[in-house]
Amino acid sequence: MEEVLAEFKQDLSDYSELYTEQYDFTQDQLELFSGNQWSEAVMSARRAENRPFVTINKVRQYVNRIVNPLRKNHIRPDIELEDDEQTEIVMGKIRDIDKQSRSKEAFECAFESQVAGGIGFVCVGTDYKNSDDLEQEVFIKKVDSFSQCYLGYHEEIDGSDARSGSYVKYTMQDEAIDKWGKEVTEKAVGGLDVYSAWRGNIPAKSVVDATFYKMSERSHWRYFLINGDTLDEIPEGVTKEQFFSTTDEQGNLVVVNKRKVSTTEVNCYRIVGNTVVEHQVLPLSGIPIIPAYGNKLYMDRTDKRKWAGVPYDLKDNQEIFNYYKSNELELVSKAPKTPFIGLVGQFATNREDWENLNTSSKPFIEYDAVSINQTPAPAPQRMDNQAYTGGLAQSMLQTSQEMGEQAGVSRGMMGEMQGAQEASGAVFQRNTQGELNTIQFSDNLEQTAMQTYKIVLELLAYVGDTEQTHALTDSKGVRTFEKVNFAEILTKKTLRNASISIKGGPMRESQRRADTQGVLEVIQLFPNKVEENFDTLMPIMIDMLGVENGEAFKKALGGGEDAPDPQAMQAL
């Protein structure tokens, strides 16, 4: 395994060169998103002058406005195979994988990192069901920190053409020694230090627990049969002459053609410290580390590109807003504190009452009369101590509006009163149009999700290659157990022809609401038609709205001669 470790070390070095600039760029954006919006130099200077430096984090508000629709309407795959019964079995397993591995959190974490920093990741893997047997389960893994993942050079937005990748985490040193021996904490054979070229900092009393993926190809003959099936090898016990001369009942040759094809497989190595502790070969078409990218930037006249999130565009205006808010606070803090002003001697007799006037209430206070050039002076006057910040307030409003335009998020989408007072149809239309400004994030996430579930299907065929008891979850969330051999269902031909699409996602929430509004209008305009064609229209409406509990929904629409039942309106 020394060759594997040397290759892993070289890949880490390549990753460091490829990703260092991007990851520093992403980290700067995430810090801005988290509220670290003043430079150390500026904070030190203002602190030395006893001047405030206030942070009002507008960036987080805009990022959350883009990300939160996904939290409300999470990613839901829709997989279609040629056989309907097999489709339902596979979808039942996919739903169970989603629920058990909490894929909702994985996509939310990737999407937030994508929108806030320009890059996020989702990982797919396998693990043993328990310690008593060799059966494995597929799971979708959440990546808490974008810097845990490294993917080799690729052009496709979903990373499907990458040839290598690594997922790096840490485990406690004592636990690693107990499980794999003391050698995992030492240098490998020959003195190779795998992580000498790596930019990551290994925490104290910890060792790296990395998964290293390397894709390989092998060429072989693929034989095309008369019935449309294919074979990648001649069956055992059959000679070439027999294989190519076999005929069917009508006398036609069974093997009609052949050609050279390449088959990909992914070598998966688990490396703890400087030791390879596990290795398996996965029949996958891509590395099971799937990126989610934000805005593509070209920063110079080279082929290098960077991926940016929303904070990159908002950085300057966010800093301006913080300066305005800090200056406003400074003006208020320096506003006159003395509420009354008068001539020397006017406060002599009742001085204590005048000094406490700001904190105590008195019906009247007498003052000492004094004269100027034998003319009685006026009584002490209350001074206006209001800080004049109107100009700053207007500038902050303008800056906030500019930030919304830069982020592609309108004021109405942020819940301001203008949107709340509009008709519902106008709100739906404006929100949908507004989300078109940030559709690149949602569209890239859908590409990530489709590649994720493609890998899930390929792994499901791999770990389920014998008849095993699998948990299946139906569309209502009911979990059952059935014996299934997924390798028989998810053949190579089935996987090639499988249709994978995404039903849920951030953009789907606005679309669902718009569809709901459209259905309401149809029911209100044509109540009699809806009632007459109830059995035909309901399945269409239920499917269009994505209603999971379809039977209860249909039952709710059961009453009303000229208008839908109130329960139906509430359900919609």
Side-chain angles (χ1 to χ4, degrees):
M1 290 295 181
E2 195 172 345
E3 292 181 1
V4 174
L5 291 173
E7 191 172 13
F8 179 48
K9 178 181 179 180
Q10 182 59 49
D11 272 29
L12 286 180
S13 177
D14 294 342
Y15 296 151
S16 182
E17 182 179 349
L18 181 65
Y19 281 101
T20 292
E21 194 173 344
Q22 172 64 58
Y23 279 11
D24 288 342
F25 185 62
T26 295
Q27 187 64 45
D28 289 342
Q29 296 176 75
L30 291 178
E31 288 181 6
L32 188 73
F33 164 69
S34 301
N36 185 9
Q37 297 170 356
W38 292 89
S39 69
E40 286 295 333
V42 173
M43 284 194 296
S44 297
R46 294 180 76 90
R47 191 180 290 115
E49 297 172 0
N50 199 27
R51 301 182 65 191
F53 44 93
V54 177
T55 299
I56 305 296
N57 196 347
K58 304 284 287 184
V59 171
R60 179 177 288 276
Q61 297 176 25
Y62 290 111
V63 170
N64 284 343
R65 179 57 187 83
I66 298 171
V67 175
N68 282 346
L70 177 67
R71 296 187 171 108
K72 189 171 183 180
N73 194 14
H74 59 85
I75 292 287
R76 298 195 308 275
D78 185 23
I79 298 170
E80 292 186 10
L81 309 180
E82 294 179 353
D83 184 274
D84 292 341
E85 185 177 346
Q86 292 181 348
T87 296
E88 186 53 40
I89 293 174
V90 171
M91 279 301 301
K93 186 60 181 177
I94 294 296
R95 293 188 200 102
D96 196 72
I97 290 173
D98 281 340
K99 186 175 182 179
Q100 299 306 314
S101 61
R102 298 162 73 173
S103 66
K104 179 177 181 289
E105 293 182 17
F107 286 113
E108 286 176 6
C109 192
F111 193 44
E112 183 175 82
S113 184
Q114 171 199 8
V115 176
I119 183 170
F121 289 98
V122 175
C123 289
V124 183
T126 62
D127 201 0
Y128 293 104
K129 292 182 179 179
N130 51 62
S131 58
D132 299 329
D133 54 45
L134 297 175
E135 294 182 1
Q136 297 185 68
E137 283 280 18
V138 181
F139 62 89
I140 299 172
K141 183 163 36 181
K142 178 178 71 171
V143 179
D144 289 313
S145 173
F146 68 93
S147 59
Q148 288 180 275
C149 290
Y150 300 86
L151 202 58
Y153 180 80
H154 55 279
E155 290 288 342
E156 298 296 334
I157 197 71
D158 58 2
S160 56
D161 57 334
R163 308 289 297 176
S164 65
S166 296
Y167 174 74
V168 180
K169 59 180 182 177
Y170 307 100
T171 188
M172 296 302 295
Q173 183 174 302
D174 293 342
E175 294 179 8
I177 292 174
D178 290 342
K179 198 168 185 179
W180 291 290
K182 191 175 181 180
E183 60 269 18
V184 299
T185 63
E186 300 172 349
K187 288 188 176 181
V189 178
L192 176 65
D193 184 1
V194 173
Y195 308 101
S196 59
W198 186 44
R199 70 190 298 269
N201 295 317
I202 302 174
K205 297 183 179 180
S206 301
V207 294
V208 169
D209 184 354
T211 305
F212 174 47
Y213 299 100
K214 194 73 175 180
M215 182 174 286
S216 60
E217 287 187 8
R218 62 181 181 87
S219 297
H220 60 88
W221 287 103
R222 176 162 291 165
Y223 305 102
F224 297 84
L225 309 184
I226 194 171
N227 64 355
D229 292 338
T230 61
L231 290 176
D232 287 346
E233 58 184 12
I234 297 175
E236 189 176 350
V238 179
T239 65
K240 281 188 177 181
E241 292 76 12
Q242 293 172 331
F243 183 64
F244 287 111
S245 62
T246 302
T247 59
D248 59 13
E249 295 178 355
Q250 287 75 36
N252 300 313
L253 289 174
V254 173
V255 181
V256 295
N257 211 335
K258 67 175 183 177
R259 71 180 180 91
K260 274 277 190 183
V261 297
S262 295
T263 300
T264 61
E265 58 187 19
V266 175
N267 284 276
C268 174
Y269 302 94
R270 186 176 182 183
I271 302 173
V272 179
N274 288 286
T275 304
V276 178
V277 298
E278 293 178 10
H279 172 233
Q280 59 180 330
V281 180
L282 305 174
L284 300 178
S285 60
I287 302 296
I289 299 174
I290 304 94
Y293 290 118
N295 293 320
K296 185 191 295 184
L297 304 180
Y298 295 95
M299 307 296 289
D300 50 40
R301 293 180 180 273
T302 67
D303 290 336
K304 284 187 177 180
R305 61 191 173 193
K306 288 183 180 178
W307 299 99
V310 169
Y312 173 77
D313 294 320
L314 302 184
K315 182 177 185 297
D316 291 342
N317 270 326
Q318 175 66 74
E319 290 180 352
I320 292 171
F321 191 90
N322 288 340
Y323 270 109
Y324 283 150
K325 204 66 181 176
S326 299
N327 290 343
E328 182 184 48
L329 175 60
E330 190 172 18
L331 283 175
V332 171
S333 66
K334 291 182 178 180
K337 301 296 190 299
T338 307
F340 287 90
I341 190 167
L343 295 176
V344 175
Q346 287 186 314
F347 307 110
T349 303
N350 298 309
R351 188 174 189 83
E352 186 176 350
D353 290 339
W354 284 102
E355 287 178 347
N356 296 325
L357 188 58
N358 284 336
T359 58
S360 62
S361 177
K362 295 182 179 298
F364 64 90
I365 301 179
E366 295 178 341
Y367 69 95
D368 297 304
V370 297
S371 300
I372 302 176
N373 297 327
Q374 298 182 348
T375 302
Q381 300 293 314
R382 182 182 292 274
M383 300 301 294
D384 182 7
N385 68 334
Q386 179 180 355
Y388 293 98
T389 59
L392 284 173
Q394 183 61 35
S395 296
M396 283 188 286
L397 178 61
Q398 179 64 31
T399 302
S400 182
Q401 291 174 352
E402 290 175 359
M403 292 178 73
E405 293 171 0
Q406 287 177 307
V409 178
S410 67
R411 296 172 62 192
M413 292 173 67
M414 296 297 290
E416 297 189 17
M417 289 302 295
Q418 291 91 334
Q421 293 171 352
E422 291 176 8
S424 57
V427 173
F428 289 136
Q429 184 177 10
R430 189 196 59 251
N431 281 354
T432 304
Q433 291 174 344
E435 286 178 345
L436 290 176
N437 296 325
T438 59
I439 196 173
Q440 70 274 18
F441 295 108
S442 302
D443 186 63
N444 289 353
L445 183 69
E446 286 195 15
Q447 300 298 319
T448 299
M450 287 191 287
Q451 177 65 8
T452 298
Y453 287 105
K454 180 181 180 181
I455 298 294
V456 168
L457 290 179
E458 293 173 348
L459 282 176
L460 189 56
Y462 169 72
V463 302
D465 60 346
T466 59
E467 189 176 81
Q468 304 171 16
T469 300
H470 288 275
L472 308 178
T473 301
D474 63 17
S475 59
K476 298 179 181 179
V478 178
R479 202 179 192 214
T480 58
F481 294 87
E482 295 183 23
K483 285 190 174 293
V484 183
N485 184 335
F486 279 103
E488 293 180 352
I489 296 176
L490 298 171
T491 62
K492 291 181 179 179
K493 180 181 178 182
T494 301
L495 289 172
R496 284 196 302 269
N497 297 332
S499 171
I500 303 175
S501 59
I502 302 300
K503 276 189 172 182
M507 284 292 291
R508 307 295 178 183
E509 179 63 19
S510 290
Q511 184 61 49
R512 187 189 68 80
R513 291 188 178 190
D515 289 343
T516 301
Q517 180 69 14
V519 170
L520 277 171
E521 291 174 358
V522 169
I523 292 176
Q524 290 169 350
L525 289 172
F526 307 104
N528 294 330
K529 288 287 185 181
V530 171
E531 188 172 354
E532 291 172 8
N533 301 280
F534 186 81
D535 292 334
T536 304
L537 288 175
M538 278 308 100
I540 299 173
M541 291 182 178
I542 289 170
D543 183 64
M544 180 173 64
L545 298 177
V547 179
E548 295 185 1
N549 196 349
E551 290 302 318
F553 182 83
K554 185 175 179 180
K555 185 177 180 181
L557 288 173
E561 191 172 46
D562 296 321
D565 186 82
Q567 289 181 329
M569 300 290 287
Q570 183 64 32
L572 282 169

